[in-house]
Amino acid sequence: MNKPSLPPDDLPSTGATILNELFYRQLEEATCRRFYQACSPFMRVLLSNYHWYFKINASPLMLVIICYDIESYLHIVDAIPQFIKQLNQFSNKAKIQLFPPNNKGEPWEIEIEETLNDQA
C-alpha cells in the first residue's frame, strides 16, 4: 500500500471528497436538464431513446451517448453536427463520446474545439 506523501493535515478530508462528489452529481444533473431544454424537438426525441449523460469532472466537459442497437447508433451519428452546435453553447472546449452497440465497433470521441476549427 502506498503511503501519502503529504502529512494527514494537508490531505483533503473525507467529508470534502464526499461533498465534491455530490456537487459534481448535482452539476451533471443540472447540465443534463439545461442541455435537454435547449435542444430542438428532434434532438429531444433522439436523446429520449438513448442513455446519455454529462461528465463534469472530466476536463473538458464531456457528453456521453450510449447506443444499444445499430439503428439508434446511425441516427445519433447523423445528428452529431446538431449535438456539436448545441454543446458549443455550453462550452467551446468539450467532447462527445459515442458508444456503439456491444461488439459493433469501437467507441469514438469528438473534440468540439477541433470540429469548430475544421468548419471555420
Side-chain angles (χ1 to χ4, degrees), residues 36-91:
Y36 186 80
Q37 291 170 351
C39 286
S40 69
F42 171 74
M43 291 173 61
R44 288 181 190 179
V45 168
L46 280 178
L47 289 171
S48 295
N49 291 309
Y50 311 105
H51 181 70
W52 64 279
Y53 57 93
F54 278 97
K55 284 186 183 178
I56 300 292
N57 60 353
S59 183
L61 174 68
M62 185 179 301
L63 171 62
V64 178
I65 304 172
I66 301 170
C67 301
Y68 297 112
D69 59 59
I70 198 68
E71 186 178 339
S72 65
Y73 177 75
L74 295 174
H75 287 299
I76 288 291
V77 169
D78 287 342
I80 288 292
Q82 293 169 317
F83 283 106
I84 290 171
K85 184 178 178 183
Q86 195 62 43
L87 192 55
N88 188 44
Q89 294 179 14
F90 287 78
S91 174

Side-chain angles (χ1 to χ4, degrees), residues 63 65 80 83-84 87 95-98 108-110 112:
L63 171 62
I65 304 172
I80 288 292
F83 283 106
I84 290 171
L87 192 55
K95 292 181 180 183
I96 298 176
Q97 204 172 38
L98 181 62
W108 53 288
E109 205 170 89
I110 303 163
I112 302 299

